[in-house]
Amino acid sequence: MTKTFDIAVFPGDGIGPEIMTPTLEILSGLSNTAETYRLACTELPAGAKTYQETGNALPASSLERARSADAILLAAMGLPSVRYADGTEISPQIDLRFELDLFAGVRPVSIRPGQPTPLALSGGQRVDFVLIRESTEGLFHTRAKGEVTETEAYETLKITRATSEKLFRFAFDLAEQRKAAGIGPGRVTCVDKANIFRAFAFFRKIFDEEAARHPGIRADHAYVDATALWMVEKPWVFDVMVTENMFGDILSDLGAGLMGGLGMAPSADIGENHAVFQPCHGSAPDIAGQGVANPMAMILSGAMMLDWLGHKHDLPEMIHDGRRLTDAVDSVISGARTLTRDLGGTSSTGEAAHAVAAALGSRA
Ligand code: ATP
């Protein structure tokens, strides 16, 4: 039996459409030859361009379509030149996290053999960890609604038991899944600032309660400042890290830096009923329209979508295709022949994506 999945697609702004087009071609190549699943993709308007054209960055029809989809694939939204009246940028991708309660921001940090990195890794040191960023509260709680007077400004950090419990359960489940797949040792690190803030002591207490329910997984804590240091000094010690929204925002860009830049960093924002898959980077207006954007983060986000849908609907072929797609990216990177400019190569977006499609080969 073949199951068809409805995928809401947001190409968005800047380099968004340039990286989305080849990614959809690769995904439809997989889907068209699969026995157990099909992807039915619908492109939807949202973002800075849509705001300029309609006065609405996330039209209600796009939001409703996304809400009813099986998964959402998003490239990049927002442009520094297009802003709301209060000076903040258009960011419907963040609105979606709140609207769809996507509390778990999944940011894998994996350095593939041959991948450019500022780290000097020795033979046995393999960097492969996942940072989970809470994405609906924390210091983003008063996002765009902070209190500002002539002399003072206030933003509120919010941590709730309900969201923290879901977040930590997600982190431990992921560590168990990685351990079972032979990817990680089975460790979850709670990243906080519990030595200074009572809100983080609360966060840590809820983490410890969840840890007690997972005796097979090692649970520990780290302060966010020390974590930034260790991510540079010894990133290979991490497996799954879980943290607050703002800390996660910053650490995930540090993770992307370890991977040689934003062009290699995929992500997922996952809730109990919905999920958005998108690269960590923004719309990169400085290189938009030149055909030089790295499509790998977008393609890897597509692979994460296949893996998530496959696990959710118990479709091994889909999980396998997610793995095949990730392996195809790995082989292009380790071959170091078809790299885009950000990775030191000269290939175009299309050439890099085509190399991934070629590395995928045909279905065995
Ligand atoms: P946002 O705040 O919307 O996430 P940002 O301010 O982090 O965006 P980006 O748009 O992500 O900025 O771009 C940051 C830098 O990384 C830019 O120099 C951009 O050209 C580069 N960059 C981002 N994505 C890619 C990509 N896919 N390929 C190559 N370079 C990229």
Side-chain angles (χ1 to χ4, degrees), residues 38-286:
R38 288 280 178 279
L39 301 176
C41 298
T42 307
E43 296 196 20
L44 302 167
K49 198 163 151 273
T50 304
Y51 178 73
Q52 278 179 316
E53 288 164 2
T54 67
N56 188 351
L58 182 59
S61 53
S62 294
L63 176 59
E64 284 325 303
R65 194 65 210 267
R67 202 189 288 282
S68 66
D70 292 295
I72 300 159
L73 200 57
L74 193 155
M77 289 185 196
L79 293 170
S81 54
V82 184
R83 289 174 188 260
Y84 293 118
D86 65 1
T88 58
E89 266 189 52
I90 311 292
S91 49
Q93 67 279 21
I94 300 180
D95 300 331
L96 277 173
R97 287 178 203 157
F98 286 82
E99 284 288 341
L100 305 179
D101 195 20
L102 308 176
F103 58 87
V106 183
R107 312 283 184 262
V109 178
S110 173
I111 302 178
R112 310 171 148 75
Q115 184 165 332
T117 169
L119 298 170
L121 296 173
S122 64
Q125 290 165 339
R126 174 92 176 93
V127 177
D128 186 342
F129 64 87
V130 182
L131 175 69
I132 300 178
R133 160 192 178 182
E134 197 292 314
S135 298
T136 57
E137 47 186 43
L139 197 49
F140 280 60
H141 172 61
T142 44
R143 181 180 63 100
K145 291 188 222 89
E147 214 185 301
V148 181
T149 69
E150 281 302 311
T151 51
E152 292 174 349
Y154 295 91
E155 301 276 353
T156 304
L157 179 135
K158 178 179 177 183
I159 305 284
T160 66
R161 170 168 282 279
T163 298
S164 302
E165 282 178 352
K166 286 190 291 188
L167 179 77
F168 295 138
R169 199 176 317 126
F170 184 93
F172 280 94
D173 287 350
L174 179 65
E176 273 164 3
Q177 209 183 83
R178 283 168 60 87
K179 189 176 177 187
I183 302 169
R187 177 181 177 198
V188 183
T189 306
C190 177
V191 179
D192 58 44
K193 194 71 183 166
N195 50 338
I196 306 288
F197 296 101
R198 293 176 68 194
F200 281 111
F202 176 67
F203 189 68
R204 187 180 275 210
K205 180 170 168 285
I206 302 167
F207 173 83
D208 289 342
E209 289 167 12
E210 186 61 33
R213 288 189 269 275
H214 301 267
I217 299 294
R218 186 178 145 203
D220 53 16
H221 317 106
Y223 298 131
V224 64
D225 40 350
T227 302
L229 179 76
W230 293 332
M231 278 175 68
V232 174
E233 275 189 358
K234 46 174 185 177
W236 48 88
V237 302
F238 294 114
D239 182 7
V240 174
M241 288 195 254
V242 60
T243 192
E244 177 270 340
N245 206 344
M246 182 64 129
F247 290 165
D249 189 27
I250 297 164
L251 292 182
S252 59
D253 267 30
L254 174 51
L258 300 180
M259 286 193 276
L262 286 162
M264 290 302 298
S267 83
D269 289 295
I270 297 180
E272 288 189 327
N273 302 310
H274 306 276
V276 174
F277 299 85
Q278 68 168 119
C280 282
H281 60 73
S283 61
D286 54 334

